[in-house]
Amino acid sequence: MSPESKKLFNIIILGVAFMFMFTAFQTCGNVAQTVIRSLNSTDFHGSGYTSMAIIYGVFSASNLITPSVVAIVGPQLSMFASGLFYSMYIAVFIQPFPWSFYTASVFIGIAAAESDRRTVFIALTVISLVGTVLFFLIRKPDPENVLGEDESSDDQDLEVNESAQNNMTKAVDAFKKSLKLCVTKEMLLLSITTAYTGLELTFFSGVYGTCIGAINKFGTEEKSLIGLSGIFIGIGEILGGSLFGLLSKNNRFGRNPVVLLGILVHFIAFYLIFLNMPADAPIAPVEGTNSSAYIRPSKEVAILCSFLLGLGDSCFNTQLLSILGFLYSEDSAPAFAIFKFVQSICAAVAFFYSNYLLLHWQLLVMVVFGFLGTISFFTVEWDAAAVVARGSDYRSI
């Protein structure tokens, strides 16, 4: 197999593996609070929000040490171990206990009826494990320099030791670069935008589905609407990611129009949710809520908002990844580590306060951060466009 074919093969395997893993994990996260709430009437007492807060909290801290771990054990083994932790977290829902539930949440960061619930989570666990095993199909690239026959074993051992030392040096350098990038003007401004993506990630991936499942006025279909909501969030993500990902290659208007569209779409979704969902929906008891907001709860509006949440999220994420890749083309690893750190810590905070805040307060927090994040993104994009227009290197300013 040629090097180009091997790279393509690895990309396909990675895509399929992550598709299996995160299909299972995102589905689990979407229904976690609803499932756990239904179990609180038994001997089990826990919170899906708290679990997700632990996951993203540990994940944010792990981003600082992950490059060092990968440098030591290698990417393939690192991804396999992470896949096992994801599968372990999902498997806990088959027969949950508080200690195992929250313990599995920690490991994840580093990396209806009783029978129906077990069947669903057994299936999700198997799907996640299939994705994990696929990592072993990844083929290592051919070494650039082939050792000659006249080289001794001592020389080979010396090269192996030097390679290990180089990996550790690269990991330390990446960590130092991350710390330096944290205090630059561009990264501080983009951190506000990134913080918003963490807050809205929490909302559409965990809180919104819980709200839908808690509204008794949706009738007997309230729980099934959670799955339908997740599907339409995914449709919005796919549509936005495909459309704006392709347009970014030949977009003479820059990234700001896409981000502006994203925040407008989200503000429309937040306003409709404010009108359609009762304030106590995120923290309603297992019996649900019979309250109403400003209009009679509508299933159609709820699903439309799911699509808008996914579409708006794709607008922000595609443009954030694009501008980070442009600004830090030679320091991409530290830049993306900061991106995931800020996003994850804000997601953890949002999952924590979701245990206590009513819906309208959660929406207000996202509106404020969304507005500030959009303005900060515009500022960085305008500076980048001005530098490009002068024909100079952005990193020189």
Side-chain angles (χ1 to χ4, degrees):
M1 183 179 291
S2 65
E4 291 77 13
S5 300
K6 188 174 294 186
K7 288 180 180 179
L8 178 60
F9 177 81
N10 287 344
I11 291 172
I12 294 174
I13 291 297
L14 281 173
V16 174
F18 282 124
M19 180 188 71
F20 278 114
M21 280 178 51
F22 287 104
T23 294
F25 175 70
Q26 295 291 359
T27 302
C28 184
N30 199 32
V31 301
Q33 178 66 6
T34 300
V35 172
I36 295 305
R37 187 172 56 193
S38 68
L39 291 172
N40 281 339
S41 58
T42 65
D43 293 334
F44 180 90
H45 296 283
S47 169
Y49 292 151
T50 302
S51 168
M52 298 300 288
I54 294 172
I55 289 174
Y56 282 100
V58 177
F59 181 39
S60 64
S62 300
N63 274 294
L64 301 177
I65 62 172
T66 297
S68 301
V69 175
V70 175
I72 295 173
V73 304
Q76 188 175 41
L77 188 57
S78 299
M79 290 186 291
F80 176 74
S82 300
L84 289 180
F85 288 140
Y86 274 106
S87 302
M88 180 178 68
Y89 173 76
I90 298 169
V92 165
F93 282 88
I94 299 173
Q95 185 59 52
F97 299 96
W99 66 268
S100 62
F101 181 56
Y102 290 132
T103 302
S105 300
V106 172
F107 284 117
I108 277 288
I110 300 178
E114 184 76 10
S115 60
D116 292 338
R117 175 178 54 79
R118 290 182 177 179
T119 301
V120 168
F121 285 103
I122 287 173
L124 291 177
T125 303
V126 172
I127 291 172
S128 180
L129 287 172
V130 169
T132 302
V133 172
L134 287 177
F135 287 129
F136 281 117
L137 297 180
I138 296 176
R139 302 191 177 187
K140 295 182 179 180
D142 296 327
E144 296 181 359
N145 297 320
V146 181
L147 296 175
E149 295 180 357
D150 56 338
E151 289 183 313
S152 64
S153 60
D154 292 337
D155 293 335
Q156 297 180 27
D157 293 339
L158 180 61
E159 290 193 9
V160 171
N161 292 333
E162 289 179 349
S163 176
Q165 292 176 356
N166 289 336
N167 287 336
M168 288 301 300
T169 301
K170 290 178 181 179
V172 173
D173 289 342
F175 181 75
K176 291 179 179 179
K177 287 180 179 179
S178 297
L179 296 180
K180 291 180 180 179
L181 287 178
C182 281
V183 296
T184 60
K185 171 189 172 184
E186 297 78 27
M187 188 57 72
L188 289 174
L189 288 171
L190 290 177
S191 292
I192 303 175
T193 315
T194 304
Y196 171 67
T197 65
L199 299 179
E200 52 99 5
L201 167 66
T202 293
F203 186 76
F204 77 74
S205 65
V207 177
Y208 188 59
T210 302
C211 292
I212 292 177
I215 300 177
N216 293 334
K217 292 185 178 180
F218 282 157
T220 57
E221 300 176 354
E222 57 183 16
K223 297 298 186 292
S224 62
L225 284 176
I226 299 177
L228 190 60
S229 170
I231 291 173
F232 274 85
I233 289 173
I235 292 174
E237 294 275 9
I238 294 171
L239 178 62
S242 303
L243 181 61
F244 302 125
L246 293 175
L247 286 180
S248 63
K249 296 182 178 180
N250 300 298
N251 186 6
R252 59 178 179 174
F253 300 106
R255 304 172 183 87
N256 283 348
V258 178
V259 172
L260 179 61
L261 174 63
I263 197 62
L264 291 177
V265 166
H266 269 176
F267 281 178
I268 293 173
F270 296 158
Y271 181 65
L272 292 176
I273 292 170
F274 176 73
L275 296 177
N276 194 45
M277 299 279 181
D280 61 341
I283 55 176
V286 63
E287 296 82 11
T289 177
N290 293 307
S291 303
S292 295
Y294 296 91
I295 62 175
R296 181 175 179 81
S298 167
K299 303 173 188 175
E300 292 76 15
V301 172
I303 298 303
L304 171 63
C305 290
S306 299
F307 171 77
L308 295 178
L309 289 172
L311 180 62
D313 180 69
S314 67
C315 292
F316 275 93
N317 278 292
T318 55
Q319 302 315 299
L320 267 174
L321 295 176
S322 174
I323 198 169
L324 285 173
F326 170 73
L327 298 181
Y328 307 105
S329 58
E330 295 183 359
D331 296 320
S332 58
F336 285 105
I338 296 172
F339 167 75
K340 295 304 297 183
F341 172 80
V342 175
Q343 186 182 63
S344 301
I345 199 68
C346 290
V349 171
F351 271 115
F352 178 76
Y353 69 58
S354 295
N355 282 300
Y356 310 101
L357 290 186
L358 296 175
L359 179 60
H360 57 271
W361 292 116
Q362 296 191 38
L363 293 174
L364 179 60
V365 170
M366 289 190 291
V367 167
V368 172
F369 272 89
F371 176 77
L372 296 176
T374 301
I375 297 300
S376 64
F377 186 94
F378 283 2
T379 303
V380 176
E381 174 67 3
W382 284 329
D383 290 343
V387 172
V388 171
R390 291 197 301 264
S392 58
D393 187 355
Y394 188 91
R395 288 159 296 177
S396 65
I397 65 173

